Each structure stands twice: as structure tokens, then as C-alpha cells.
Amino acid sequence: MIWWLENPARARSERQSVADLAEHVSWLRGVRWYLSDGAAFAVDFEIEHDGDSIPLTMTYAEFHPNAPPIVVPRDGSRLSSHQYGAGGNLCLEYRADNWETTVTGAMMIESARRLIAGERDADGPELPSAHAVSLGQSVRGSYFRFLLTLPIEERLKALEPGQSIEISIAEKYHAETFTVTIGEIDGVADARAWPAGIRETTKRGHAIRLPQGTAMPAAAQESIANLLGDLGLAPLREQALATGEMDVVLVSETEIAHFYAYDGSQKRYFGRSRILKVTAGSRLPEDYAVLLGKSVGIVGCGSLGSKVAAMLARAGVRKFTLVDDDVMFAENLVRNELGAVAAGVHKVDAVRARLIEIAGTIDVTARRVALGGQESADSTDSVMSALRACDVIIDATADAHCFNFCAAVAKESLKPFVWGEVFAGGIGGLVARVRSGHEPEPQTARNQINAWCNAHGVPAPLAGLAAPYAAPAEIGGPLVADDAEVSVIAGHLTRLATDVLTRPEDTAFPMPAYAIGLRRAWIFSQPFETWPIELAGSNSWKVEQDPASVAESLALLRELMPTAFDGHDQSSK
């Protein structure tokens, strides 16, 4: 887009405003308009101040008037401390963070003149800095970063002047950035700024409290070696002068610094990391704290299940049982939580690695078993026993046969059961939750949901299709669910799971099941339309045995284990 061709009136207005300014002030001279490289609208001008003539250029942005122009010294000089380096643009009163389309080029020139006059008038007030630099902006050029938590900072500041202690340094390399933290100090482990269990390397280092008045050294071998020698730390001085890696954390009255050394390209390099202070605090609801002690069983680690597992790990769950026999392939990348590095790996193993990447140390039992598939009876029984020990069971397979096994475990153990599926073509999905004593047992609930769907006179797009994410379109190829559509249903399924774990006897959801529309199809008249589904029945899923049934059970047990009783189960006379 060439803005001045599409909006010539604004271009003429800009020229006129500058011409009017030049007519009314004596300090603006040499105004010359032209098109710079790339057909950018630009103007050269000179500002007169105390006999000096300062040549400047203002170039209008490609998206003007919705973005500010830039003003730079035409000779490439460093004109001001309010400037982005030598030859860079001046930081004026009108910038990207406060820009309005009503600001004109003449106003920019006046702002440049105020900046120059303010900095060159020795008797005038110091110009306030308007630079509000974000953390991200401040570390853009720093690829060695030291993460400092408040507990570590307090411990370092408590060192006695001149004291040196050995520490453990934890380091990781990710996204072309080295991040370092203290993993252990004074024998206290897990003081690091990221969760324990994250892939890292550890090494030994030293923390030293500088005596009062001692300045921080430069990040150079000689400066650091001389400081260590002056402090009487001869072994560390020799280490600084030798080869190999070295890490030293220095603590002064006003700052904390991390210095590192390493060998490379026939030269020893010394550097100083950028300190990033890590703030404490949780971004989760207070009632999510109970999730730390909860166990979640997820059957199915495909598109839906992998996302639910990751969401629950971020919510605070630290114990999982994952069940799936499938293998990850590149074709699964379009909808799965996993990345390309997991291609060829069993999904349960790859999801386990993903959860560790998210949360660090985490207890994950991965079972490469197809529950309800052609597995040995021992494997099936073992998986069902593992699920029975979980606090909630989640079926993310959209497979009716697998549902039966999960439902049987939930009913026998009286554990909450949550399930969901994405409708064919990504038109929407279904999520449901049942609890003993609150909703009907799982099979009854599923039958009621199927009946609710069929009552609308249109077959429900439920599980059972050969291609569960695809549905025929009226014109052209099939409709296929994309990652965003699967993620929406996964999010709602996760909400039901966290709700049942944090509110076992209460709920934030007035209905136990919901059909969620994402496209105009089936019963959905528009996207994001939600249909609550009421389920009848709230009795306990287990029926108390009557006396006759108990007697029959004892009789069977005596037949199977005759030597175990020795008549002790007989009634006394």
C-alpha cells in the first residue's frame, strides 16, 4: 500500500502544515519534499539553534497516518540521549505507544526542536525520559540469562562480606538462549527458577559476597582474576586463569551478577549474564491447589486426550495414568498436542515427555494398551485396575467399546467419569460428566444422551464413523475438524474434569452434559451455540447385597477355597 496515493488529501495536508510552520517560525529552514527509496514520502529540513544548523529527515511510515513517521539526523550522528543509537530515530513526544492519527508532521518537527533545545540549553531543566522499556525489550540482545528467585536473592544477600560458598548451577539451552539458575545453595536443593525435572545440565559454582565498597569487576579474565586474588581466594583465582568452564555469582551492596567462562575457538571467553528476577505467585484459582494430590486416568492420547492431559498438567495435576496403544505420525500433527519430534513414538510415551516439558517432575504411568482391543486378559485387567485407583476417569477415544470398559471401572469404583468427543467434520462436540449419587451410572447416561440426540429427528454425529473427524460436505470434499475445533472441545472437557476434582460434591455446571456447536449444522443454528442435556437418575451406582445374595457368595467361596475356612464361617449352635 502506498498511502499517499490512496490518501492524497492527507499528503497535501502534511505538506501544508509544514509550510505553515516554516512561515511562522524562524528556526525551520531548508524544507524539501521528495520520495525516498521504496517510494516513501519524506522531507528534509534543518533546525537552527544557537547558530548551529541541525540537518534532519522525516520519513513517513508505510501505514501512515496509522503509524508515526521517523525523524533521524541526516548526517548519521548521535544527536541526543533520547535516540536509538547513532543515526537512529529520535524518541520524540509522539511515538508508537501514544500515537494518534491527528498528529501531523509539523507537530513532529516542533517536538524535534524542543528535544534539541532542551538538551543543548545548559541552564534549562533536564528533559524527562519517556522510555518505558518492557522486560522483553530490555533482554532482546541477551542470550545468557540468570534467573533469580526471591528466596535465592535473600540467601545470597545474607552471606557475610568476603564469604564464598559452593553452589550448584542449573543451566538449560532452549530457543538459542542459555538460561541459568541456582539449583542448590547451602545444601538446599530445588531452589531453581524452573520446575525440577526439566532437562538441564548441572555444574558447580561459587557465590561470593563482596566486601563493602568493592566494585563489580568487568566481564574479563584479568578483572575477575584480580578481584578473586584481592579477596584471598587463590584457588578460584587459579581457576579463572586456567581453562574450562567457570561460574561465579558475585553479590555487592546494590546488585547481584553472574559471571561465566568457557573455552571456544582457541580462546577463553568471559561474560556476564543478564539478571531476570522471577516473581512468585500462582496464576491459578485457589481451589486448584487440591489438584496437586489428585490422580487422573486418561484413555486415548490422540487429538482430544493429548490436549486434555496438557491442560490438566498446567492446572496443577501431577499424577496421570495414560492409556493408548497408538503411534504418533506426521499426519497427526494437524490436531495433536505433540510436535514433529514425536513422530514414530507411542503417543502415551510422547505425551508423558510433553507433560514433563510442561511441569517438570511428574508421575505418569504410560500403558501401551488398547483398552477394549485385542489384548490379553491380563493386560486389560491390569489397565482397569490402574484406572480404578485414579480420582477421575476420562475417556477421550470416542469409541463405544472402550467406553464400556471405562464405564465399568467407574461404576465399580464409584469414581467420577468424564468423556467427550468431537463431532464429524468439526461441527461441534459433546462433553459429559457423571458422579455416583448425583447422575445416572455411565451406561444409562450415555443411552439418555443418545436418546436426546435422536429426539431431534436428525441422526446424531456421534462416535462410530470410520473417519471420526471427517464428514461429507454438500459440495466438494469432506469437512475435517481442525486443531482449533478439537481444542475447543478439549477445553470444555478439561473444565468438567477440573470441576469434578475441585468440587466433588458441588459443581459449577448445572447440567451434566452439553452439546457444543462450532458450525451451523445438525441442531446448531450458529457457531458457539450450546445445548445443555439433562440426565435423569441420581441414585448410588452400587446396589446393596441382600442377605440371600451374601449367603450365596459365601457358599461359592467355600466351594472354591474349602481349606480356608475350617468351619469358622459356620453359625455357632
Side-chain angles (χ1 to χ4, degrees):
M1 178 185 77
I2 300 179
W3 73 268
W4 50 268
L5 283 178
E6 294 190 1
N7 191 359
R10 177 65 186 243
R12 285 194 295 268
S13 174
E14 290 292 322
R15 295 185 64 177
Q16 187 61 51
S17 69
V18 174
D20 291 343
L21 178 63
E23 183 178 339
H24 290 91
V25 300
S26 60
W27 48 263
L28 178 59
R29 302 178 181 223
V31 175
R32 182 179 71 88
W33 293 89
Y34 61 97
L35 295 180
S36 67
D37 295 340
F41 199 55
V43 57
D44 287 345
F45 59 94
E46 296 175 7
I47 290 178
E48 302 286 338
H49 182 74
D50 284 346
D52 292 335
S53 181
I54 299 98
L56 300 170
T57 295
M58 179 168 62
T59 304
Y60 285 79
E62 180 181 357
F63 291 95
H64 193 82
N66 296 304
I70 63 170
V71 179
V72 300
R74 201 155 64 245
D75 57 5
S77 63
R78 180 61 185 263
L79 189 62
S80 166
S81 60
H82 299 268
Q83 184 179 356
Y84 291 96
N89 56 292
L90 303 178
C91 185
L92 303 176
E93 296 160 283
Y94 310 107
R95 308 169 305 276
D97 60 323
N98 63 0
W99 179 254
E100 295 181 1
T101 58
T102 55
V103 178
T104 66
M107 296 166 67
M108 296 289 292
I109 292 174
E110 288 182 293
S111 180
R113 193 255 177 182
R114 284 192 290 271
L115 175 64
I116 292 169
E119 289 207 335
R120 297 197 174 197
D121 290 342
D123 298 331
E126 182 180 354
L127 291 177
S129 174
H131 289 273
V133 180
S134 70
L135 174 63
Q137 290 173 313
S138 69
V139 300
R140 277 194 293 226
S142 303
Y143 299 101
F144 289 84
R145 302 170 186 177
F146 183 86
L147 275 57
L148 181 64
T149 65
L150 181 59
I152 293 177
E153 181 179 10
E154 292 176 345
R155 180 64 191 94
L156 292 173
K157 289 181 176 179
L159 295 175
E160 295 295 329
Q163 182 183 7
S164 172
I165 63 171
E166 190 171 324
I167 59 176
S168 171
I169 296 288
E171 178 184 79
K172 59 183 178 64
Y173 179 73
H174 184 72
E176 301 181 355
T177 302
F178 285 95
T179 49
V180 178
T181 188
I182 293 179
E184 172 265 316
I185 182 170
D186 279 351
V188 179
D190 293 337
R192 54 176 58 77
W194 52 75
I198 297 296
R199 182 177 296 179
E200 63 186 17
T201 59
T202 57
K203 50 189 174 179
R204 305 307 294 177
H206 286 81
I208 304 168
R209 179 64 186 266
L210 300 180
Q212 186 174 2
T214 304
M216 281 289 177
Q221 185 176 36
E222 182 179 1
S223 298
I224 293 175
N226 288 341
L227 172 68
L228 295 174
D230 293 341
L231 295 176
L233 302 172
L236 287 181
R237 177 181 180 277
E238 294 303 318
Q239 187 178 349
L241 294 173
T243 58
E245 293 189 355
M246 181 180 185
D247 288 80
V248 177
V249 177
L250 301 180
V251 185
S252 74
E253 299 170 273
T254 58
E255 59 181 327
I256 295 174
H258 168 248
F259 294 91
Y260 57 88
Y262 64 94
D263 301 322
S265 302
Q266 299 180 344
K267 181 181 178 182
R268 189 129 196 257
Y269 292 90
F270 279 77
R272 178 173 174 174
S273 298
R274 176 69 161 79
I275 297 291
L276 298 182
K277 291 194 175 185
V278 180
T279 57
S282 174
R283 298 189 178 187
L284 292 171
E286 290 184 4
D287 57 354
Y288 275 37
V290 300
L291 296 179
L292 182 63
K294 300 296 184 179
S295 174
V296 175
I298 301 178
V299 182
C301 291
S303 302
L304 196 62
S306 65
K307 295 179 185 297
V308 170
M311 292 178 187
L312 287 172
R314 292 190 177 96
V317 176
R318 291 296 177 268
K319 189 172 183 179
F320 290 87
T321 294
L322 306 178
V323 182
D324 198 323
D325 74 315
D326 201 9
V327 176
M328 181 75 181
F329 290 107
E331 65 185 25
N332 303 129
L333 295 174
V334 295
R335 285 187 296 265
N336 206 287
E337 170 72 17
L338 302 173
V341 69
V345 179
H346 270 87
K347 290 178 180 177
V348 287
D349 297 323
V351 171
R352 177 182 181 275
R354 176 64 176 143
L355 298 184
I356 293 173
E357 185 180 59
I358 292 171
T361 300
I362 194 166
D363 183 357
V364 181
T365 300
R367 302 298 304 270
R368 306 174 186 173
V369 175
L371 188 60
Q374 293 185 2
E375 300 281 359
S376 69
D378 288 342
S379 294
T380 300
D381 187 64
S382 174
V383 167
M384 295 177 73
S385 295
L387 293 174
R388 179 173 54 190
C390 298
D391 293 299
V392 65
I393 300 166
I394 301 174
D395 176 18
T397 64
D399 179 89
H401 195 46
C402 185
F403 177 92
N404 293 338
F405 283 89
C406 294
V409 176
K411 183 178 179 180
E412 187 274 336
S413 61
L414 301 181
K415 296 296 177 64
F417 183 32
V418 180
W419 72 94
E421 56 186 87
V422 179
F423 292 155
I427 67 168
L430 171 78
V431 295
R433 167 224 64 211
V434 289
R435 302 161 297 166
S436 178
H438 296 276
E439 289 87 31
E441 58 88 17
Q443 291 288 5
T444 301
R446 183 177 176 85
N447 291 337
Q448 290 186 25
I449 292 173
N450 288 341
W452 180 90
C453 293
N454 294 331
H456 288 84
V458 181
L462 295 173
L465 296 176
Y469 291 107
E474 295 180 2
I475 301 175
L479 295 173
V480 181
D482 64 17
D483 187 71
E485 291 157 347
V486 175
S487 297
V488 170
I489 305 306
H492 289 309
L493 188 58
T494 304
R495 293 179 69 212
L496 284 182
T498 54
D499 178 76
V500 90
L501 289 171
T502 58
R503 302 168 177 233
E505 298 301 325
D506 192 11
T507 179
F509 300 97
M511 294 295 176
Y514 295 87
I516 302 142
L518 299 177
R519 298 186 188 181
R520 184 175 179 180
W522 188 43
I523 62 173
F524 307 123
S525 61
Q526 57 185 320
F528 308 116
E529 182 179 347
T530 300
W531 289 67
I533 304 174
E534 187 172 3
L535 301 179
S538 59
N539 296 328
S540 175
W541 298 346
K542 277 190 176 180
V543 179
E544 293 292 333
Q545 283 187 299
D546 57 36
S549 177
V550 173
E552 186 177 355
S553 297
L554 285 173
L556 178 61
L557 193 58
R558 282 197 300 270
E559 291 177 15
L560 297 173
M561 301 177 64
T563 61
F565 291 90
D566 293 331
H568 292 298
D569 65 322
Q570 302 298 327
S571 301
S572 60
K573 295 183 181 179

